[in-house]
Amino acid sequence: METNQEGKAEQFFKDFGKKLDIFIVEAKDAGTRIEADLKKKYEELKVSAEKIRKDADNKERWKEVEVSLKKAGEELEKAIKAAFKKKQSDQGK
């Protein structure tokens, strides 16, 4: 009976060891994939940062953006005034 128990324990630890080995290999693979993904994202961020830096240095481009935003703001202001003006004239009726 004691031999049977030892055999079961040995088999359990043998199976456990195999599963642990597989887990370690999979964990290493996952770590490698994560590292590769992080490197890729880092490179993408560097490219984006460089593009933003170049855009920020391009004063003419920002001048265009500023002019366009001012025009949009003026149009929005006109629309808001028209909407409230109409409401006020409707309330007087």
Side-chain angles (χ1 to χ4, degrees):
M1 176 108 157
E2 208 172 285
T3 309
N4 191 17
Q5 287 292 348
E6 286 179 17
K8 287 182 179 179
E10 288 175 359
Q11 185 62 41
F12 170 79
F13 284 114
K14 184 178 177 182
D15 290 342
F16 179 76
K18 286 180 183 179
K19 289 177 183 177
L20 189 58
D21 289 341
I22 292 170
F23 174 76
I24 290 170
V25 169
E26 289 176 353
K28 285 181 182 178
D29 288 345
T32 303
R33 284 192 308 269
I34 290 171
E35 183 180 358
D37 288 346
L38 288 175
K39 284 181 181 180
K40 181 180 175 185
K41 291 293 181 186
Y42 177 72
E43 291 301 318
E44 289 173 2
L45 285 173
K46 280 180 24 180
V47 169
S48 294
E50 183 63 24
K51 182 179 177 189
I52 289 171
R53 187 189 64 76
K54 285 180 181 178
D55 284 347
D57 288 343
N58 187 348
K59 302 292 183 201
E60 190 61 37
R61 170 104 169 105
W62 286 110
K63 200 64 163 167
E64 283 180 40
V65 170
E66 184 181 356
V67 168
S68 295
L69 287 174
K70 281 184 181 179
K71 286 181 183 176
E74 290 168 359
E75 290 299 317
L76 183 60
E77 183 181 8
K78 287 179 189 176
I80 290 172
K81 284 182 180 179
F84 283 110
K85 190 177 194 180
K86 189 173 189 178
K87 279 188 175 182
Q88 288 174 353
S89 66
D90 288 345
Q91 286 177 354
K93 288 185 178 179

